[in-house]
Every structure is written in structure tokens, then in C-alpha cells.
Amino acid sequence: MSLLSGLRGGSDVGFDSYGTFVPERNPDPGPFLSETAVLTGDDHATFHRLTMDLFDERGVYDMTFGYNLARLNLDHRHPDAGFRYGRETDDSSVLRAEFTPTTEFCPQSDTLTVGAFRAWNGLSDRHEYDRVRVRVSPNHHQSASINDKLQQLETRYRQTGELQTDGGDEASDDSVPF
């Protein structure tokens, strides 16, 4: 069992339960989800519970707050931050996930979104989607470069089935274990 599994919470003061979807404590869907069927209610909560498990297994951990990144959606202190999900309308086997960080200058957004992409796609046998596409919200000051990188990872994954890059100068690719 992972060392992070003790952080699952849900009954802690200041956090919602993993079994619920509280719209006012989740970010609004952004432009990456505009052409999708956005998950709400039980659909959102079910995928988010699975996300907690996958992020726990792969170590997608927010060092600023000291918890599994999936827990950000449940944190009352940050009602406009976390992930929102949407099924592509022309291909329901593809899920889109948009991450909204707590601030427009969140220094971990690159590493966290790459880690989320690798966790969801590296453990795709654990969910119903063939592929999960990930982007950071455009409110982040480096969203264009982060989203370009995520697009490149996605293209490579779609073409080769590989989650790792060929090295290069992208620090987060070499520094994160997932």
C-alpha cells in the first residue's frame, strides 16, 4: 500500500467526501471542455474516486498542500481549483481533463499535469477510456507552453503507446517517476 493512502480523507473538516460532487467547490469547465459532455454528479464523483486511486499509485502529489492532487477538488479553501472532466462528443472512449491550479503562477502545473496524464493513460486498464487528454486552464501564465508539451505527449502516446519522451531538455520528464 502506498504511503499516501493515509491522506485519502473525506471526513476531514474542510474537505468534501469522495462520494459527492459539489459544483460550487469545483472549477467551472474551461475551454478545453467546451466541446465535450462535461461530467457532473455521480459520473464526476466516480471518475474522481478512481483518479484518487491512480494518483495514489503513481505518486501524483501536490507538494504545496502535502496531499494527493485529486484531493484538491475536495478542499474547501480552493473552490475554483482542481480537475473537471468531459467525454468527447464524437468519441466517447476519449476523456478530457482540464486542471485549474490554485493560482495563475502555480509552479507545479507542468509536473502535475504531466503526472496526471501518465497516471490516467499508464493505468488505462483501470477505467473505461482508451485515452485521457489533459490540459491546464488558460488562466495559468504558462498554459500555452504546458499545453503544447501535453499535446506532444498525447500525440506520441497515440502513435506509439509510449508515455515517456526521448529525453531532451524537459526537466519534468526526467524528474518525475511516473
Side-chain angles (χ1 to χ4, degrees), residues 14-122:
F15 290 88
D16 293 320
S17 164
Y18 277 95
T20 61
F21 171 71
V22 182
E24 60 272 11
R25 286 201 283 274
N26 277 270
D28 291 330
F32 187 59
L33 302 180
S34 65
E35 302 289 321
T36 69
V38 175
L39 301 186
T40 59
D42 288 341
D43 291 335
H44 175 94
T46 298
F47 189 77
H48 203 69
R49 274 191 308 275
L50 173 68
T51 293
M52 177 63 178
D53 292 339
L54 300 181
F55 285 9
D56 191 34
E57 187 170 325
R58 290 294 179 108
V60 184
Y61 193 79
D62 187 312
M63 298 307 288
T64 301
F65 300 116
Y67 54 60
N68 178 314
L69 180 60
R71 199 161 190 222
L72 180 59
N73 279 64
L74 311 174
D75 192 331
H76 295 183
R77 297 170 298 176
H78 306 288
D80 297 321
F83 282 98
R84 289 301 302 268
Y85 314 106
R87 283 186 200 93
E88 289 193 357
T89 54
D90 59 341
D91 185 353
S92 62
S93 72
V94 177
L95 185 75
R96 292 186 183 195
E98 186 172 61
F99 175 65
T100 303
T102 57
T103 71
E104 62 191 39
F105 299 103
C106 173
Q108 295 183 77
S109 291
D110 180 340
T111 303
L112 293 171
T113 54
V114 168
F117 174 83
R118 289 181 176 158
W120 282 316
N121 290 295

